[in-house]
Amino acid sequence: MRRVRVFAPVLPVVAVIALLGLPLAPGSGGAGPADAVSGLVVLYCGIRLLRDRRRPLTPTAVAVMGLPVLGLSIAAMGASSPGAGLSGLGRYLQIFVLVPAAVVLLIRDRRDFRLLAWSFVALAGWQGAIGVKQYVTGTGASYQGEDIRAVGTFGPTDVMGMATVVSFGLICALALALGRNDARQRAVAAACAFALLLPLALSFSRGAWIATAATCAVQLALAGLRRALKVAAAVTAACVVLVGGLGVGTAMLQERIDSITQVTDAPDQSVIDRYTMWAAATAMWREHPLTGVGLKGFPEHRDGNASLALSSGSDTEGAGAAFLKQPLLSPHNMYLLVLSEQGLIGLVTLAGSCLSLLVCALRGLFRVHRSGHPGLDCALVSSGLLIWQLIDFMYADIGGPSTVLTAVVLGLAAWWSLVGANEEEQRAAAAPVRTRAEGALAR
């Protein structure tokens, strides 16, 4: 009970993460239970602020986290209908402003931060275990005519859900393993990171592979060259054992990996659809360069800007769901989605907010490196999650039950960037003041 009381402020955020481990009804999409609880988290945060009369976010934090509101407000006014504008505005505010701000205000110290990081690892382990079972038993989503694609509890309509969760967990585990915590915690984190490689591979998600590989490489480089070489050797050995020695999905994995380099030579239909929707989004932006076509406007303007190469939708089946032709309602590229619906104003404000957080996170990381103070694991978690999200946005956009995790990720990164990274600096500045005060009392 004492431990529960200690972590009470941040437990609602843990509940949001935990709810994504529950099975979803077949064919369900969009908002889920975790989204509803995320709204309660915002309400809970507001009540705590009023009760405790705490100082709100600093002016810098308000400017950085509130920057997307400008582009969103303009795009909402340009929507095709008031209903579409309000629903789109609410969703974007939830993911990029309200929930991240609530997470920042509810995290009190690095102990709370690490609890959320371990929650990501635990959720990834749960979803990954379900995904591996789906591959082994042939009960996953359909892939090349076989029900072997690992999707966890998210089902075939959100094939990126499990891959996203596992990627977040792997990045958090690697950061915790590279930190300056006790040896036991680092060993457990390293074991979790290696274990999560298998379900990530079985997700057959090329975008998640690329984003995770790039992010982990950056994390290792930021942690130090010697550690990077050691971990790279261990990861290579693990991959050789899993794929070469045990033969885990060798043929299909190799084919999927090879397809990454064939996106221009011999692309499959999914890649053709993606390129076609990217071209359509770019065409929409050219027609409305500053403000875009309005929130929720991409599906309405898609057919008028897409070529005949675009298919009618993607086929989804398996993992407990019947065959379904899923319509293609977004360009599967967050930057192009924002550019087409919110124009340059929306893209500059949203990307500017995220890049500002990344710059502040990296600055805090270098400060921790120089000073030798604890917090390297928190810095690597924040920087890694932000880098992964920014890379993955080139292959995916918001949508589906797993989207609420993006809001928590931005909140974690924002806490370190705007609060946690400055703790040591604030303590150093306060130390001379305390020393002078103690000297005056002694006299």
Side-chain angles (χ1 to χ4, degrees):
M1 289 299 296
R2 180 178 176 275
R3 189 176 293 272
V4 172
R5 287 195 299 269
V6 168
F7 291 110
V10 81
L11 288 181
V13 186
V14 175
V16 173
I17 299 172
L19 282 172
L20 287 171
L22 298 178
L24 300 172
S28 63
D35 290 277
V37 174
S38 72
L40 296 178
V41 168
V42 175
L43 179 62
Y44 170 73
C45 178
I47 293 173
R48 283 185 60 89
L49 289 177
L50 292 174
R51 186 194 68 184
D52 301 339
R53 296 183 180 180
R54 286 181 54 193
R55 183 179 177 182
L57 297 171
T58 64
T60 301
V62 171
V64 171
M65 302 189 69
L67 191 59
V69 177
L70 174 62
L72 290 171
S73 301
I74 296 174
M77 291 187 291
S80 58
S81 67
L86 287 175
S87 63
L89 179 63
R91 184 62 161 166
Y92 273 97
L93 288 178
Q94 173 205 6
I95 301 303
F96 293 101
V97 181
L98 296 178
V99 175
V103 173
V104 171
L105 291 168
L106 290 175
I107 296 176
R108 297 162 302 170
D109 50 34
R110 292 169 183 170
R111 183 172 51 182
D112 288 348
F113 185 99
R114 291 184 181 106
L115 175 63
L116 293 179
W118 278 109
S119 299
F120 272 102
V121 176
L123 176 63
W126 170 251
Q127 291 286 358
I130 295 175
V132 172
K133 180 183 177 182
Q134 289 171 335
Y135 176 85
V136 173
T137 60
T139 56
S142 179
Y143 178 76
Q144 294 187 355
E146 299 183 54
D147 294 343
I148 58 169
R149 187 168 191 174
V151 292
T153 63
F154 295 99
T157 57
D158 187 15
V159 293
M160 280 292 295
M162 191 210 76
T164 298
V165 168
V166 171
S167 297
F168 286 156
L170 197 156
I171 290 167
C172 289
L174 180 60
L176 292 167
L178 294 173
R180 300 190 181 112
N181 305 317
D182 61 272
R184 180 180 178 183
Q185 186 175 138
R186 294 200 306 269
V188 172
C192 291
F194 284 125
L196 291 173
L197 289 173
L198 179 58
L200 179 62
L202 299 180
S203 70
F204 294 101
S205 175
R206 293 170 293 196
W209 291 349
I210 294 171
T212 304
T215 301
C216 290
V218 172
Q219 282 182 304
L220 291 171
L222 292 173
L225 182 59
R226 183 177 299 178
R227 282 185 174 183
L229 294 175
K230 289 181 179 179
V231 176
V235 170
T236 302
C239 292
V240 169
V241 171
L242 287 174
V243 179
L246 301 179
V248 177
T250 305
M252 288 188 175
L253 280 176
Q254 186 62 50
E255 182 180 346
R256 192 67 166 171
I257 293 171
D258 291 342
S259 69
I260 295 175
T261 61
Q262 296 172 353
V263 292
T264 56
D265 298 332
D268 55 30
Q269 186 59 48
S270 66
V271 175
I272 294 174
D273 287 338
R274 193 178 297 260
Y275 282 168
T276 304
M277 290 188 293
W278 288 2
T282 305
M284 295 178 203
W285 166 65
R286 289 198 185 100
E287 294 176 4
H288 306 274
L290 284 179
T291 59
V293 297
L295 293 181
K296 300 275 188 176
F298 182 87
E300 182 180 346
H301 293 79
R302 182 199 64 183
D303 292 340
N305 292 276
S307 69
L308 296 177
L310 183 66
S311 66
S312 58
S314 59
D315 299 339
T316 62
E317 190 177 10
F323 175 82
L324 176 68
K325 178 74 74 171
Q326 191 173 12
L328 304 174
L329 302 179
S330 73
H332 296 293
N333 180 306
M334 190 65 197
Y335 303 112
L336 290 178
L337 177 63
V338 173
L339 193 63
S340 62
E341 294 188 344
Q342 303 177 39
L344 278 175
I345 296 176
L347 182 62
V348 169
T349 54
L350 187 61
S353 176
C354 294
L355 289 175
S356 298
L357 291 179
L358 180 59
V359 169
C360 293
L362 292 174
R363 186 180 63 181
L365 187 149
F366 295 140
R367 186 183 301 152
V368 168
H369 260 308
R370 289 195 304 269
S371 65
H373 288 299
L376 179 61
D377 55 339
C378 299
L380 290 172
V381 167
S382 299
S383 303
L385 290 175
L386 264 178
I387 291 170
W388 188 94
Q389 196 65 76
L390 290 172
I391 295 174
D392 186 69
F393 273 163
M394 292 189 289
Y395 305 95
D397 48 48
I398 59 174
S402 60
T403 298
V404 70
L405 276 185
T406 300
V408 180
V409 162
L410 292 176
L412 275 174
W415 180 85
W416 170 257
S417 301
L418 304 172
V419 180
N422 302 319
E423 283 184 349
E424 300 298 339
E425 192 176 80
Q426 293 168 357
R427 289 172 185 168
V433 176
R434 289 198 302 269
T435 302
R436 288 195 298 269
E438 291 168 359
L441 288 174
R443 288 194 297 271

